[in-house]
Amino acid sequence: MQLLRAVLLLFVLPIHGQDTTSEGIEVLPPLPKGACTGWMAGIPGHPGHNGTPGRDGRDGAPGEKGEKGDPGLVGPKGDTGEIGVTGDEGPRGFPGNPGRKGEPGEGAYVYRSAFSVGLETRVTVPNVPIRFTKIFYNQQNHYDGTTGKFHCNISGLYYFSYHITVYLKDVKVSLFRKDKAVLFTYDQYQEKNVDQASGSVLLHLEVGDQVWLQVYGDGSHNGLYADNVNDSTFTGFLLYHDTN
C-alpha cells in the first residue's frame, strides 16, 4: 500500500521550472488528501498463497478420426472354454438328391457244410460209430457213410441233432467229438411198443474235428431200430463260419 502511495506522489510533483512564484521561489503543491507526511517506501511483502484449483473445463469437441494403426502382434492362444449347453435340435432338412449307383461288388463266398442221414438196418455193435447209410443230404460230402463220421472242413459253429426209434431193448447213445462223448441220451424200452428218443447240441469245431454217434456201454442198451416205416436219423449243419 505504501509503494502505491509513493508512485502516486511522483505523478503529482511539479516539473522543474514550472509553477514558481514571482520571487523565484518554488512552491510545492499540497499532498494528496490522506497521504502520510514523511513517508518512505516500505519493504516488499511476501508472495500470496496459491489459490485453490479451478473447476475442470468442459469437454472439448471430438477431434477428427485418426488413421488406422498397424496390426498388433498375435497374442498367445487362450485356454479352451467350457463346453456350452447343447442347443435345441433344428428343423429337419429336405431330402438330398440320390447318389450315383455304386460299382458292382464282388460276390460273397457262401460257406456251406450240412448233412442229413438215416439208419437202414438195426444196429448190433456197441462202442463204435453208428453207420447211417441212408443219405438224405450230403452235397459237400463232409459226412463219410463208410465210417459214420462227420469231418469238419470249415471252422465255425455247428448244430447237430438225432432222432432215434427205440424197439426191443433200451437205448443209450452218445454224441462224440474227437474221441470224447459230449452228449448222452437214454430211453427205456416199453414192451410191445415203439418208442422215440432224440437229442441236439451246438458245437464249435475246428478243421479236422470229427463228430459221430455210437451206442454207449454194452449191448444191453442197443435198441436202435429202423425199417421201412420207422427211421432213426442223424443231422448236422454249419450255422456260421469263423471270421479269423
Side-chain angles (χ1 to χ4, degrees):
M1 189 66 180
Q2 292 179 355
L3 179 61
L4 178 60
R5 290 177 179 177
V7 172
L8 293 175
L9 182 59
L10 292 176
F11 279 101
V12 299
L13 290 177
I15 300 175
H16 181 74
Q18 294 182 359
D19 295 332
T20 59
T21 62
S22 58
E23 289 83 11
I25 300 172
E26 182 178 358
V27 179
L28 296 175
L31 294 173
K33 186 177 179 179
C36 296
T37 59
W39 64 273
M40 61 180 299
I43 301 173
H46 297 287
H49 297 288
N50 293 331
T52 57
R55 294 181 300 175
D56 294 339
R58 296 180 180 179
D59 294 337
E64 296 181 358
K65 185 177 180 180
E67 296 180 358
K68 185 176 180 180
D70 297 331
L73 299 176
V74 178
K77 184 177 179 181
D79 297 333
T80 303
E82 298 180 356
I83 299 176
V85 179
T86 302
D88 297 333
E89 184 176 356
R92 184 174 181 179
F94 295 102
N97 297 324
R100 294 184 303 173
K101 185 176 181 180
E103 299 293 333
E106 298 181 0
Y109 180 78
V110 179
Y111 294 85
R112 294 186 176 92
S113 180
F115 72 96
S116 183
V117 293
L119 192 66
E120 290 185 300
T121 59
R122 181 182 174 187
V123 176
T124 58
V125 182
N127 297 318
V128 295
I130 301 172
R131 295 177 59 247
F132 294 85
T133 55
K134 184 188 291 187
I135 306 299
F136 300 111
Y137 179 87
N138 191 29
Q139 185 173 353
Q140 294 81 35
N141 292 317
H142 293 168
Y143 172 79
D144 187 356
T146 60
T147 62
K149 295 182 178 181
F150 167 77
H151 297 263
C152 176
N153 289 266
I154 303 171
S155 297
L157 184 66
Y158 287 80
Y159 174 80
F160 294 96
S161 66
Y162 49 88
H163 180 82
I164 303 298
T165 298
V166 182
Y167 185 59
L168 298 178
K169 288 184 179 181
D170 296 344
V171 165
K172 187 174 184 179
V173 295
S174 55
L175 185 140
F176 277 74
R177 178 184 62 180
K178 296 192 300 185
D179 296 325
K180 182 178 180 180
V182 294
L183 183 67
F184 296 90
T185 298
Y186 175 75
D187 184 82
Q188 189 173 17
Y189 170 67
Q190 303 296 323
E191 189 175 355
K192 297 180 181 181
N193 193 10
V194 176
D195 205 357
Q196 307 291 330
S198 62
S200 60
V201 68
L202 287 171
L203 294 177
H204 181 271
L205 302 181
E206 301 289 345
V207 174
D209 289 349
Q210 298 177 350
V211 178
W212 68 91
L213 282 176
Q214 72 180 39
V215 174
Y216 193 83
D218 55 26
S220 60
H221 298 101
N222 190 18
L224 274 75
Y225 183 78
D227 57 23
N228 58 342
V229 294
N230 294 283
D231 283 306
S232 293
T233 61
F234 181 33
T235 300
F237 55 87
L238 174 68
L239 286 177
Y240 56 83
H241 68 281
D242 291 343
T243 57
N244 294 336

